[in-house]
Amino acid sequence: MKNAIEVKDLDFYYGKFKALSKVNIDVRRNEITALIGPSGCGKSTFLRCLNRMNDLIPGIKAEGSIKVEGVEINNGTTDLVDLRKKVGMVFQRPNPFPLSIFENVAFGPKIHRMAKGDELKDIVKSSLQKVLLWDEFKDKLNKNALSLTLEQQQRLCIARLVAVRPDILLMDEPCSALDPVAIQKIEDLMRFLKKDYTIIIVTHNMQQAARVSDRTGFFLLGELIEFSETDKIFTAPSDKRTEEYITGRYG
Amino acid sequence: MIKKFFESLIEKAIFISGITAIAIVVLIFIFLLKESVYFFLNNNLAEILFGMDWYPISEPPKFGFLPLILGSVLVTVGAIVIAVPVGLAAAIYISEVAPGWFKEILKTGIELLAAIPSIVLGFVGIVVLAPFIRNLFNLPSGLTAFAGSIMLAFMAMPTIVSIIEDAINSVPKSYREGSLALGATHLQTIRRVILPAASSGIMAAVMLGIGRVIGETMAVLMVTGNAAIMPTSILQPVRTLTATIAAEMGEVIQGSMHYYALFGIGFVLFVITFFINLAADMFLHRKKS
C-alpha cells in the first residue's frame, strides 16, 4: 500500500456552516504533501480532521471516510490516544511546554509509558538528533524550552512529536512565526525527515509549497479544487481557479 | 483656556485622591507603630514573643503572645489544609470539566459564598458545626480550633477558587493543544501541563487565602472557644491574635499596658499579613515576567 492516508467524500460542518465539501485525497507515504489556498478555505480544518483535533470544538460534524494506514479513524470507536500517537501535529506558533528541553521531549514517552530511565534518555537523544538540536543542547537539557529561539522551539516541538514514534507529521503553517533564515532551516529539516515520515503541511506561502512538497492540493471555499504533483500545479494547473490563485489573482 | 483649566483641575483631583489613599495607609501604620513601640520598649521582647502565658489583667500582668500566635497559626494551617485541596479541585472542575451552563452556576455560587457576612458564617458555625464536632469527637465543647479551621476554609475558598481558576484559564490554549495532539488524555494534560504552567498562580492563591484567613476575626471569635492557652491539639479551644484584640479592646483601660499590648498584637498581625501579601505578589509577578 502506497498511501498513508486515504480520504473519501469528507464533509465537515461547524454547526450549520459547511467548511469542507466532498474532499477526496490520497496522501502517499514518505512524501511531503502541501495544502494551499486562501484564508478560510478549509485547509487547516482538513488537517485537523486527520488527527481529530477538531473534536475539541463543540458542535462539529465530520462525515465521510478517513483511513490512516488502512484503518478508518472517522468514527466513534477510534481511540484518539492511539491515533494522535500515530499522527502528530506541529502548530503555527511553536508551543513547547514551559518545562525543560528534556521534559518537553520526554513528555510523550512518559505519558504513553514507552520508556523510563536510560531508555528514556536514549529516546530524548535520538529525537533531538533527528531535529539537529542535540549537538547544541546536549549539555543544556535542563534549560527552559521557552528560552530558545522560535526556530529552535519549533524544532523542539518536532522532536517532541518524533519521540512518540509517529508515522505521519501534520504541520499547520509551521513557519508563519519564523524569519526567512529560520524558515529555510525548518524546510531543510522537513526534507531530511521525509525518509522516515509522511508529512502534510498547510501553508499560506505558495513558494514554500513549491520548494518543499512533492504533491500539492489547492483548497478553495471548502473544496479540494486540484491535487497533483507540485511541479504540475505550479507550471500547468488544470483548473482555472488554481491558475488564478498561484498567479496571485486573489487570496 | 477654560478647557485647559478644567483639565488641570481634574488632574489635581485625581492626584489628591491617589495620594490620600497612600497617606491613609501610612498614617495607620504610623499610629500602629507609635502605640505598639511603647509596649515593645517597656517589655522584654523575648518574653512577649515566646511567653506562654497571656494574663493581661493579673498582677503582675503577663503578655506572652505565643499562645495567640500559635492559635492563629493552628487555625490558619487547618483552614488552608482543608481549603487548598478542595479549592484546587473545584477550580479544576469549573474551568476544565463542567459544561458551560453549569460552570456559570458554580462560579456565581462561589461568588455568593464570598458575599456571606462572616458573622453569619460564625453563627452557622456555633449552631450547626460546633455541636457536630462535639458529638463526632466526643468533646466537652465543639468550639475548637478545628471548628475555626472549617469555617475559615469556607471563607478562604472563594478567593482560592477564583484565583486558581484565573490562573488555569490564562494558561495558553496552545499548551493544551500541544499536549492533546501528542495523545495525552484530558487528565494527563491537566496534571502534567496545565497545573505546572499555572503553578505560580496557584501559589499566589494559597498565599492570599492565608492572608484572608489570618486576618479574619468575627467567625473565629465565635467558634474557636477563645481560651488563651498553649494549644496542644486542633480539637482544643484556642484564641487567635485577631480575636484577642476584638474581645479585649472594648474593656481595656485606655492608656494601660494592656491597651498597648493589644496594639502590639495588631503590629505582629500587620507584619505577618504584610509578608504574606508580599509573597503572593511575588508569585503573581513571577508569572507575568
Side-chain angles (χ1 to χ4, degrees), chain B residues 141-152:
Chain B
S141 162
L143 299 173
T144 56
F146 187 50
S149 293
I150 293 177
M151 279 344 288
L152 289 180

Side-chain angles (χ1 to χ4, degrees), chain A residues 48 53 56 81 84 89 91 95-98 107 110-112 146 160-161, chain B residues 174-185 188-189 192-193 196-197:
Chain A
R48 284 164 171 260
M53 280 303 272
L56 297 177
V81 170
R84 289 171 185 166
M89 186 166 223
F91 295 85
N95 60 346
F97 304 128
F107 183 87
K110 271 188 181 170
I111 58 169
H112 298 304
L146 299 182
R160 189 172 70 180
L161 285 185
Chain B
S174 63
Y175 292 171
R176 180 190 317 266
E177 283 194 326
S179 171
L180 293 172
L182 281 168
T185 62
Q188 285 171 325
T189 303
R192 290 175 177 269
V193 178

Side-chain angles (χ1 to χ4, degrees), chain B residues 40-276:
Chain B
F40 287 122
L41 288 181
N42 285 285
N43 289 278
N44 183 336
L45 204 61
E47 256 172 47
I48 297 167
L49 289 178
F50 303 109
M52 298 195 198
D53 300 304
W54 175 258
Y55 298 128
I57 45 176
S58 67
E59 205 44 63
K62 287 185 173 171
F63 298 112
F65 284 6
L66 199 59
L68 313 178
I69 293 175
L70 288 183
S72 275
V73 168
L74 191 64
V75 171
T76 304
V77 168
I80 290 303
V81 165
I82 298 167
V84 169
V86 177
L88 184 63
I92 292 172
Y93 180 75
I94 291 174
S95 54
E96 289 291 321
V97 186
W101 60 273
F102 195 47
K103 192 180 285 194
E104 292 311 312
I105 293 177
L106 283 173
K107 276 168 106 166
T108 317
I110 282 167
E111 274 154 30
L112 276 179
L113 191 60
I116 299 175
S118 70
I119 192 134
V120 174
L121 270 180
F123 184 63
V124 173
I126 288 182
V127 176
V128 181
L129 188 63
F132 175 73
I133 289 176
R134 190 186 62 210
N135 293 334
L136 187 67
F137 295 104
N138 205 8
L139 300 169
S141 162
L143 299 173
T144 56
F146 187 50
S149 293
I150 293 177
M151 279 344 288
L152 289 180
F154 276 113
M155 301 182 71
M157 211 96 79
T159 313
I160 293 178
V161 172
S162 48
I163 295 177
I164 295 182
E165 206 217 320
D166 278 351
I168 291 177
N169 283 337
S170 63
V171 171
K173 208 177 117 214
S174 63
Y175 292 171
R176 180 190 317 266
E177 283 194 326
S179 171
L180 293 172
L182 281 168
T185 62
H186 191 181
L187 213 61
Q188 285 171 325
T189 303
I190 292 171
R191 194 169 78 81
R192 290 175 177 269
V193 178
I194 293 174
L195 290 186
S199 62
S200 57
I202 294 172
M203 284 309 296
V206 173
M207 287 297 157
L208 290 172
I210 293 175
R212 173 92 174 82
V213 165
I214 209 160
E216 172 53 36
T217 308
M218 216 53 229
V220 275
L221 182 65
M222 292 169 81
V223 300
T224 53
N226 290 315
I229 44 174
M230 290 294 285
T232 51
S233 140
I234 198 163
L235 293 174
Q236 219 182 33
V238 295
R239 172 86 78 82
T240 63
L241 293 165
T242 50
T244 306
I245 301 177
E248 297 179 9
M249 200 44 119
E251 298 153 13
V252 74
I253 301 161
Q254 206 160 354
S256 68
M257 194 52 82
H258 183 193
Y259 172 82
Y260 289 111
L262 295 181
F263 277 96
I265 294 176
F267 185 76
V268 170
L269 201 55
F270 176 82
V271 170
I272 295 172
T273 44
F274 176 78
F275 279 106
I276 289 168

Side-chain angles (χ1 to χ4, degrees), chain A residues 124-154:
Chain A
V124 171
K125 181 180 175 185
S126 65
S127 305
L128 286 172
Q129 277 171 337
K130 258 207 168 117
V131 299
L132 314 175
L133 282 177
W134 177 253
D135 291 334
E136 193 177 344
F137 292 102
K138 62 184 167 199
D139 302 319
K140 298 175 220 159
L141 294 177
N142 287 323
K143 211 173 150 157
N144 191 310
L146 299 182
S147 67
L148 304 183
T149 66
L150 280 178
E151 181 224 331
Q152 289 166 339
Q153 288 187 17
Q154 198 61 298

